[in-house]
Amino acid sequence: EHLISRFNQPFSLDGVAHYSTPSIGVTVFGDNDVHSAEELLKRADMAMYQAKSAGRNTQRFFDPQMQAQVNARAHLESDLRHAIHDGELQVYYQPVMNGHGRLLGAEALVRWRHPGRGLVMPIEFIDLAEQTGLIVDLGTFVMRTACEQLAAWAGNPFTECLTIAVNVSPRQFRNAGFVDEVLSIFDETGADPSKLKLELTENLLLGDVNETVCRMRELKERGVGFSLDDFGVGYSSLAYLKRLPLDQLKIDRSFVNDVLSDVNDAVIVRTILALAHNLELEVVAEGVENAGQVDFLVSNGCERFQGYHFGRPVPIGEFERLHGFASCA
Ligand code: C2E
Ligand code: CA
Ligand code: CA
C-alpha cells in the first residue's frame, strides 16, 4: 500500500510531471510447496495480472485458486484449439420476427459440443477465443456455416428472403484477411451477400475507426448489412454512430428485460428507438421474453424482435421444423 501511494504522487522526469498507477502481485514463501525461483516469480506474476484486471493501482496476493483458474484456462484453450478442427462446434439459430409474428431471419449463435462437458455456451469460451486469436478460425467456421445455410435457403419461396446475422468480434474484424475471406466464402458457397448481416460491437470503436469504416464499406458494396450489437451498454459514441455505415441497431437485452418495471430502462429504450428512427436505422429488440414487453416495444415503434418469447436458439433442423419449412430445406 505504501509503495502504491508513493507511486501515485507526481514525480518529475526531465522537468515533466509523471505519476504511476502500479499493479503489484505478491506471493509469500517459506513453506515447502514452492520448488524454484521460477515458480515463485510465476506466482507473483499471476497475482500481478489479477491486480491489473481488478482495475490497476492495487495489489493482490497469490492464492492457489488463482493457479487452478490459470490451469483450467490452459486446458480450455487446448481443448478449444482441437474443437475447431474436430468439428465440435455447432451453429444454433434464433429467430428474428416482426410484430406480426412473421419470421425475418435468424441470428447464428455458436455452441461447443465438448466430448466430456456436454454443451458449452459461448460465454465460457468466446473471450478466451478472442484473447488467444482462436476467434479467427472459429469465426470463419460460423460464417461459412451461415453462408451455406443461406445458399440452401435460396430459391425456395418460404426461405429465400430470410437473413442470417453473424457475430463478428473485434479481433476477427481487424484481422488483415477478413474482407477477402468473407468474399471468398460468398464465392465458395454461392450465398447472396445481401442476406448476410454482420453484428459488430461498440468495443470495435476503441480501435482505428477509419480502418473499420473502410472495411465496412468494402463489404457493403457487395450488399452485406451491418448491425451494432448490444447497443447502449458499451462505448456508445453518437458521433461514431453517424460515421459508421450501419443498417441496424440491436437494443441490448438488459434494457428490454426491465422495460416494464424500471422507468429508466423504459426511457432508454424509447430514446434508442427514436434515435434509430431519426438516423434511419432498423432496430431489433433483443431478449424479448413476454407479451408485455412486445406491447411496450410495438407501441414505441419497434418492428423487429428477438428473444425467448419468439424462440430460443436451436440447431438448424429444429429451427426449420419449428418454422414449418423442414421439407423445403
Ligand atoms: P449476443 O450476440 O448478444 O447474442 C444474444 C444472446 O442472448 C444469446 O446468448 C442468446 O441465446 C441470448 N438470448 C436470446 N434471447 C434471449 C432472451 O429472451 N432472454 C435471455 N436471457 N437471453 C436471450 P448466447 O447464445 O449464449 O451467446 C452469448 C454471446 O456470445 C452472444 O451475445 C455473442 O456476443 C457471443 N457469440 C455467440 N456466438 C458467437 C459467434 O459465432 N462469434 C462471436 N464472435 N461471438 C459469438
Ligand atoms: Ca449478436
Ligand atoms: Ca446482443
Side-chain angles (χ1 to χ4, degrees):
E1 293 290 0
H2 183 62
L3 281 171
I4 289 171
S5 73
R6 290 306 296 244
F7 268 117
N8 290 170
Q9 289 162 22
F11 49 89
S12 165
L13 289 180
D14 267 347
V16 181
H18 290 267
Y19 69 100
S20 181
T21 54
S23 303
I24 303 179
V26 188
T27 188
V28 179
F29 66 104
D31 54 11
N32 298 328
D33 67 328
V34 184
H35 301 294
S36 67
E38 197 189 348
E39 172 70 20
L40 202 58
L41 288 171
K42 226 164 99 187
R43 291 183 170 197
D45 207 37
M46 273 181 217
M48 188 266 291
Y49 277 107
Q50 292 286 318
K52 272 191 198 294
S53 64
R56 296 164 195 266
N57 205 30
T58 186
Q59 90 337 77
R60 283 289 180 273
F61 281 85
F62 173 83
D63 76 76
Q65 225 186 329
M66 253 177 221
Q67 180 88 57
Q69 271 173 14
V70 170
N71 291 350
R73 220 182 110 91
H75 272 291
L76 194 68
E77 181 182 341
S78 95
D79 281 4
L80 185 58
R81 217 171 271 282
H82 290 119
I84 297 171
H85 298 106
D86 295 352
E88 288 169 21
L89 297 182
Q90 195 180 353
V91 177
Y92 275 37
Y93 295 86
Q94 183 176 32
V96 178
M97 306 266 207
N98 73 7
H100 307 289
R102 196 167 72 86
L103 183 67
L104 302 173
E107 176 172 1
L109 294 159
V110 71
R111 300 289 183 264
W112 176 8
R113 293 210 166 272
H114 190 285
R117 298 172 54 191
L119 194 68
V120 186
M121 301 302 276
I123 188 159
E124 294 193 52
F125 62 90
I126 288 291
D127 276 354
L128 181 74
E130 178 79 6
Q131 284 157 24
T132 54
L134 289 171
I135 196 76
V136 174
D137 285 349
L138 182 152
T140 303
F141 165 77
V142 175
M143 189 83 70
R144 177 165 288 122
T145 307
C147 285
E148 283 166 355
Q149 194 52 53
L150 284 173
W153 280 346
N156 178 322
F158 290 106
T159 55
E160 64 187 2
C161 51
L162 300 178
T163 57
I164 296 182
V166 171
N167 294 287
V168 179
S169 79
R171 182 147 179 190
Q172 188 189 350
F173 190 81
R174 288 203 201 103
N175 191 43
F178 180 73
V179 171
D180 286 341
E181 187 180 78
V182 175
L183 296 179
S184 73
I185 291 177
F186 291 147
D187 290 342
E188 286 161 33
T189 59
D192 173 359
S194 73
K195 298 291 179 286
L196 183 71
K197 267 202 166 54
L198 300 185
E199 295 194 0
L200 308 176
T201 49
E202 288 162 321
N203 47 6
L204 189 68
L205 300 174
L206 297 173
D208 180 347
V209 178
N210 287 331
E211 175 71 24
T212 297
V213 172
C214 277
R215 288 191 178 198
M216 288 175 76
R217 289 234 169 89
E218 271 182 77
L219 288 166
K220 263 193 99 74
E221 272 169 26
R222 292 287 299 261
V224 176
F226 284 94
S227 181
L228 195 56
D229 205 355
D230 306 338
F231 186 71
V233 290
Y235 193 57
S236 297
S237 158
L238 299 181
Y240 285 148
L241 200 56
K242 245 182 61 184
R243 272 181 64 196
L244 297 179
L246 290 166
D247 304 279
Q248 188 182 75
L249 296 183
K250 296 188 89 169
I251 307 181
D252 190 69
R253 67 171 183 270
S254 60
F255 302 121
V256 175
N257 193 40
D258 296 329
V259 88
L260 298 177
S261 56
D262 184 323
V263 188
N264 291 326
D265 284 340
V267 170
I268 290 172
V269 167
R270 260 197 223 113
T271 307
I272 296 176
L273 283 164
L275 175 77
H277 185 78
N278 287 326
L279 293 171
E280 293 178 20
L281 296 170
E282 288 177 359
V283 184
V284 176
E286 287 194 287
V288 181
E289 294 186 352
N290 59 55
Q293 292 165 346
V294 179
D295 290 344
F296 175 90
L297 290 159
V298 168
S299 68
N300 286 286
C302 187
E303 294 172 340
R304 290 173 180 76
F305 309 88
Q306 186 180 341
Y308 297 164
H309 180 70
F310 295 91
R312 287 177 181 259
V314 289
I316 189 64
E318 201 173 331
F319 184 87
E320 295 190 324
R321 201 166 53 249
L322 283 169
H323 297 285
F325 48 82
S327 55
C328 323

